[in-house]
Each structure stands twice: as structure tokens, then as C-alpha cells.
Amino acid sequence: MHKAGFVNIIGNPNVGKSTLMNAFVGEKLSIITSKAQTTRHRILGIVNGDDFQMILSDTPGIIKPAYELQESMMDFVKTAFEDADVLVYMVEIGEKDLKDEAFFKKITNSKIPVLLLLNKIDKSNQEQLESQAEFWQAKVPNAEFYPISAINGFNVQNVFDRIVELLPESPPFYPKDQLTDKPERFFVNEAIREKILLHYKKEVPYAVEVDTEEFFEEEDIIRIRSVIMVERETQKGIIIGHKGSAIKRVGMEARKDLEKFFGKQVHIELYVKVNKNWRSDQRQLKRFGYNQK
């Protein structure tokens, strides 16, 4: 018997969804930073065993959209309800509610299995943990409850094993050696964007999109040319930094991560362009893979 199914991870921004998926997959597929709204797309990670295939979906954190880009991000979350065989709803210690009540009703009325994971329990004490467990089990009575620490791996294997049990009987949906549904350029863009999120403050990281224009793989090296897009000239100056020092650091750190990811030497060239109001432009969003309507 072979099992296969779609396991969709949802929750508020910054509760540890990407950390959990990366722990399951064993590869860094999703950006992990301490800033909210890090994941913008719906990213599939595929875990294969001899008798199962788990297709994990990491989605953007649930927010009330303020502009077109965020509307598109929430569309990715909506689709997560449509094709799930198992729904993983993540919350963190101290959290009390979803930012969108309509999404919350979908979770509590779900006809498919729901696992409610209370993450970051390493940051709590026993009393707080018991209080939060009671609160969430009453709030989502249809869910199986698991306290976890995704970053430390606590209880992660138990959750993984339970998901495998819940998968429906099915042949694999993807080739068994496939890790994700995203192309190489997507991970180049995400690696660069992660470094921008880590090293720049205020609005700058959220006004940035990365577009990899060239990706040439040779036998012993990958040559990459990527453009960092910002909305204003002032942001361009901030991204480049004094004598190019800031963008040089981004390139160097992204290159190290990509060499680890691809398993070979990487040469990366970065450029910065101003692309005014791209976050509110339907045509631009479609080009960057957001507006799929």
C-alpha cells in the first residue's frame, strides 16, 4: 500500500510554518527570518518514503490585506483549503486568535483532519503551556493538539508520523526524487530576499522583489544574474549602501547559501532597479508569479 497527499500549513505570520516545513523536508525551501510576511508564495516541499509521499505546502501568514500584493498572498492561503488532505494549523505561545475570522471558521468547520500545533513552547513555562493548551483545544475542538518546538525539533517527529498515518491511499503525485515544485530561479530569488529581510529595516525589505534574469549551470559552477527591484530611488541607495558595501554583503551571504543548496560553486551578480509601485500593479504582480486569478 502506498499513501500520498497534500498537507497544507496555515497560521498567522511568523508562527514557525516555514521552520516546520523545512524540518520535515530536510532542506531550506522556505525563508526563515524574525520578520512577519516573509513567505509570499505558496511553496511545495515534497517528502518521500518507501510507502508514502507527503506534499507539504507552506503558505503566507494570514493577514488583513492592505494592498494588491497582500491580496494575492491571501489568495495562496485560500487555495490551501481547497486541495488539502490534512490541514496543519499553527499557533504560537501567547497567541489568541487568527487575524481573519472567516479563515478561522473554515478551520473549525473543516471536514478533513486538522492538526493544531502550538509552537515555540521552549519560550513558555508549564503553567502557560497548560493554559494555552486548554484555550486552543476549546477553540478548535475538531483538531488533534500537539505542543511543539519546531526550531528545536521537540515533538516534530510525532507530528510527522501522525500526518503519514492520515494520508490517503494513493500513488505518488510527483517523481520520487523531486523535492519541490519550484524552479531553481525561485530559490535564488528567495535566498537573496532572505538576506535583504535580515539586513535592512523598516519598509525597504517589503518594497523589494528579486528577479533572476540569468541562470546558467555549467559542470562545476552556476552563473547567476539577478535584479533587486525597489519602488523608490531612495530605497535603491539604501540597498546598494556606501560604495556598494551593503549589496556586496547580500550577494556574498546569498552565494554561500546557494552553494550549499545546489551543491556546487556559484557566481552571482546583483543589480538594483527602481520599479515604481510594483506591489499595487496587477501586471507586475502577475509577472512575479503572484496574481494567478
Side-chain angles (χ1 to χ4, degrees):
M1 186 183 76
H2 190 279
K3 294 179 158 196
F6 291 82
V7 180
N8 299 343
I9 309 168
I10 61 168
N12 282 350
N14 206 28
V15 293
K17 298 183 297 295
S18 298
T19 306
L20 181 73
M21 189 175 91
N22 290 343
F24 281 168
V25 177
E27 290 279 350
K28 195 172 174 186
L29 296 183
S30 289
I31 285 183
I32 303 166
T33 76
S34 59
K35 294 184 180 174
Q37 293 176 46
T38 308
T39 302
R40 286 179 178 171
H41 295 265
R42 190 176 167 198
I43 301 166
L44 291 191
I46 303 162
V47 186
N48 290 294
D50 291 338
D51 56 357
F52 73 89
Q53 183 175 79
M54 186 188 297
I55 303 146
L56 293 150
S57 173
D58 177 20
T59 58
I62 296 167
I63 52 172
K64 287 273 188 193
Y67 44 83
E68 281 290 335
L69 170 61
Q70 291 184 340
E71 292 275 3
S72 180
M73 286 161 62
M74 289 308 94
D75 286 339
F76 286 127
V77 181
K78 284 174 192 167
T79 61
F81 283 96
E82 290 162 14
D83 62 10
D85 294 298
V86 180
L87 200 60
V88 174
Y89 172 37
M90 283 188 79
V91 295
E92 64 177 325
I93 283 287
E95 191 180 342
K96 290 289 184 183
D97 261 320
L98 263 187
K99 297 217 170 35
D100 189 313
E101 206 57 41
F103 278 123
F104 194 73
K105 279 187 180 151
K106 280 189 173 185
I107 294 162
T108 53
N109 293 328
S110 174
K111 298 286 186 285
I112 58 167
V114 179
L115 302 189
L116 171 58
L117 310 187
L118 176 60
N119 191 25
K120 305 185 184 179
I121 63 164
D122 48 296
K123 295 183 176 177
S124 72
N125 56 41
Q126 191 61 30
E127 190 183 338
Q128 187 185 20
L129 177 56
E130 285 172 11
S131 158
Q132 286 264 281
E134 198 178 316
F135 173 84
W136 282 110
Q137 284 174 301
K139 194 95 173 156
V140 195
N142 59 313
E144 291 183 31
F145 178 79
Y146 289 85
I148 69 162
S149 171
I151 201 157
N152 294 326
F154 174 77
N155 223 8
V156 168
Q157 188 62 48
N158 288 334
V159 173
F160 184 90
D161 293 344
R162 180 59 181 142
I163 292 170
V164 172
E165 284 175 11
L166 291 167
L167 293 177
E169 195 174 329
S170 167
F173 291 91
Y174 292 90
K176 282 287 200 148
D177 58 353
Q178 193 168 332
L179 188 67
T180 180
D181 67 328
K182 297 292 182 191
E184 286 99 338
R185 291 180 193 221
F186 175 84
F187 293 103
V188 174
N189 298 345
E190 291 290 272
I192 295 164
R193 202 165 64 80
E194 178 183 51
K195 303 311 170 193
I196 291 166
L197 276 157
L198 288 170
H199 294 305
Y200 298 87
K201 292 176 181 158
K202 297 181 181 171
E203 176 65 9
V204 172
Y206 302 104
V208 163
E209 183 58 55
V210 182
D211 185 25
T212 295
E213 295 183 337
E214 292 178 6
F215 184 99
F216 295 120
E217 186 163 5
E218 298 168 18
E219 198 174 328
D220 55 354
I221 193 168
I222 299 170
R223 301 186 188 279
I224 296 165
R225 183 183 189 276
S226 300
V227 175
I228 297 168
M229 248 154 298
V230 292
E231 291 193 312
R232 295 194 299 276
E233 283 291 340
T234 50
Q235 292 165 346
K236 181 178 178 179
I238 293 166
I239 290 287
I240 293 169
H242 181 61
K243 293 185 178 175
S245 59
I247 194 171
K248 192 174 178 183
R249 176 169 66 173
V250 167
M252 187 176 68
E253 291 185 10
R255 177 180 58 76
K256 283 181 184 171
D257 279 4
L258 290 168
E259 285 182 339
K260 201 172 167 186
F261 186 77
F262 291 118
K264 63 166 68 177
Q265 195 181 338
V266 168
H267 173 76
I268 190 163
E269 289 178 29
L270 293 180
Y271 301 86
V272 187
K273 283 183 186 173
V274 176
N275 188 344
K276 288 184 181 173
N277 301 319
W278 70 266
R279 286 183 294 177
S280 302
D281 184 327
Q282 293 265 15
R283 192 172 55 84
Q284 297 276 12
L285 287 169
K286 195 158 192 178
R287 181 189 154 200
F288 298 135
Y290 293 105
N291 260 344
Q292 303 298 334
K293 293 177 195 173

